[in-house]
Amino acid sequence: MSAAVAYQRAGALLDVGRDDQAAATLRAALAETPDDAALLTLLAFTQRRRRDLPGALAAAEAALAADPGRSESHVEHAEVLLALLRDAAARTAAGQAVSLAPNHPAGHLTLARALAAERRFTDAGAAAARGLALAPRSVEALLTVADVARLAGRRDDAEEAVRAALRIEPGSDYGRWLLAMLDADRLRVRRSLRTLRDVARDNPGRPNVLSMTWPIRGLMSGLRRRLTVAAALTCAAALIAGRFPPMLTPSRVLAAASVPVVAVFCLRLLVPAGRLPWHSLRLTPPLLRRSLYARMVTAIVQTGLLLGYAVTSATLLTVIAVLLVPLQLILGLTAAVGAHLDDPGYLHAFRDIARQWRELRAEFRRWWSDTRRDLRDAWRDGA
């Protein structure tokens, strides 16, 4: 099979979702022509879709070694680096693709995503706009513009770009998902979950269960902020009331008022969401699920402590509520880590951090051993 035929066949297999067969086809062709940059680039894309990021990175680097002047290889290399959370390296690779082919939109769009990952939203918006100008009818370009605008907090611009993309390709899964996330940002709970459910139904093999749990995760984050403020203010007022008794009644009213605020916020998110987030939560990584349950229990305890102070005026209850704030922060961090335990990019990044930490510790031990030996030798020479 010639390289061109293998390339076309692998592309057709990717179009119908047969990623494993596409990878096998590309490897068979590369056994005959191992330095074909086009085949290697497509293999990198295939491996990235299969979530084999180390394999994708190896294929992308091989493609660059075979043909350093091929802009498509630099684009795919940048995409793999983005998936591995190596944002600065991805920006460099995308910049190289743009310099090699300034009139190709793919390099500008990848550069925009890399800049957005580094939170350089102004530069990212400019790069996305250049990519869109080169391909005004490109769904990918419109969705990249929407992505950057959403990350920058410009939700109206993001929604306008998403709807323009969906007018061109109404069945775009990523476009519909992005629209659901924009609705989630605006707390349009029912509409957001309806869209997410439709996307999951159209992709039963790859449901995005993490997205469908956003009402629960958003509820916990919102409760943490509200209860932290309520506990801190109530505790401060209660301590002041110990020296200045007229503050006792306002402090109790403040504690009591926090309870309906929390209840209304819970109802605002959970009632329109229905049972879908809870069903989806069962499929999330165990660390995320347990952290969310622990955050729920902590929030209930904090609310009960504030209500208890409103009834009994026991200052100790407000102090305990404040002491639970660091626990909420730790559980929130644990949930954030747990949310990405099935993401190969984050796992690879965690392994890199662990490896760097081990290397740093080994280097410190060598330094300490050498320093002790040098000091001991200097002491003996002086004696």
Side-chain angles (χ1 to χ4, degrees), residues 56-330:
L57 182 61
E61 290 175 345
L64 290 175
D67 186 359
R70 194 171 189 275
S71 64
E72 292 85 351
S73 301
H74 287 280
V75 169
E76 183 56 38
H77 186 218
E79 293 287 357
V80 175
L81 291 171
L82 273 177
L84 290 168
L85 306 184
R86 300 179 186 177
D87 302 332
R91 171 174 45 81
T92 302
Q96 183 66 22
V98 169
S99 64
L100 289 170
N103 294 325
H104 290 184
H108 295 283
L109 299 178
T110 304
L111 178 60
R113 288 190 286 271
L115 290 167
E118 293 185 307
R119 308 194 67 79
R120 295 170 53 179
F121 297 126
T122 302
D123 295 337
R130 284 194 293 272
L132 181 61
L134 292 169
R137 298 281 298 173
S138 167
V139 172
E140 181 189 1
L142 286 166
L143 293 179
T144 301
V145 169
D147 255 332
V148 172
R150 178 182 175 233
L151 291 172
R154 295 183 283 107
R155 293 170 185 158
D156 291 338
D157 295 341
E159 185 170 350
E160 181 182 351
V162 171
R163 294 196 181 279
L166 290 176
R167 282 194 293 270
I168 299 171
E169 187 182 333
S172 169
D173 293 332
Y174 187 72
R176 291 187 293 162
W177 175 86
L178 189 54
L179 188 61
M181 290 297 97
L182 287 168
D183 286 334
D185 293 340
R186 290 166 168 159
L187 294 184
R188 299 170 180 168
V189 183
R190 186 172 285 108
R191 189 161 75 178
S192 173
L193 286 176
R194 187 185 305 120
T195 304
L196 290 172
R197 184 175 58 246
D198 292 342
V199 173
R201 186 183 60 242
D202 295 341
N203 297 272
R206 292 185 295 178
N208 193 334
V209 293
L210 187 62
S211 296
M212 290 186 284
T213 63
W214 76 259
I216 300 174
R217 294 183 291 111
L219 174 66
M220 291 301 101
S221 297
L223 286 181
R224 177 184 59 78
R225 293 190 296 269
R226 286 165 173 78
L227 288 173
T228 296
V229 173
L233 292 178
T234 303
C235 183
L239 292 174
I240 293 173
R243 298 292 184 89
F244 186 63
M247 277 295 296
L248 180 61
T249 299
S251 67
R252 295 175 67 182
V253 170
L254 179 62
S258 64
V259 177
V261 170
V262 167
V264 168
F265 183 66
C266 292
L267 294 175
R268 173 71 178 83
L269 281 178
L270 296 183
V271 171
R275 292 177 294 178
L276 179 60
W278 300 101
H279 291 325
S280 302
L281 188 61
R282 300 172 187 172
L283 304 176
T284 57
L287 181 60
L288 169 63
R289 186 167 59 251
R290 292 165 185 163
S291 299
L292 287 175
Y293 287 145
R295 294 182 77 181
M296 293 176 201
V297 172
T298 307
I300 292 171
V301 171
Q302 284 181 299
T303 305
L305 290 169
L306 293 176
L307 183 60
Y309 173 75
V311 174
T312 65
S313 304
T315 305
L316 179 62
L317 297 179
T318 65
V319 175
I320 297 174
V322 171
L323 293 177
L324 289 176
V325 170
L327 177 60
Q328 278 280 25
L329 293 173
I330 293 171

Side-chain angles (χ1 to χ4, degrees), residues 327-372:
L327 177 60
Q328 278 280 25
L329 293 173
I330 293 171
L331 291 173
L333 179 60
T334 305
V337 173
H340 299 289
L341 284 182
D342 58 350
D343 187 319
Y346 279 85
L347 288 176
H348 198 276
F350 291 152
R351 293 192 189 101
D352 281 346
I353 292 173
R355 177 179 52 78
Q356 292 170 5
W357 173 253
R358 288 194 299 269
E359 292 175 354
L360 181 63
R361 187 172 59 180
E363 184 177 349
F364 176 77
R365 287 178 175 174
R366 286 194 299 271
W367 172 82
W368 179 242
S369 177
D370 294 343
T371 301
R372 289 176 58 190

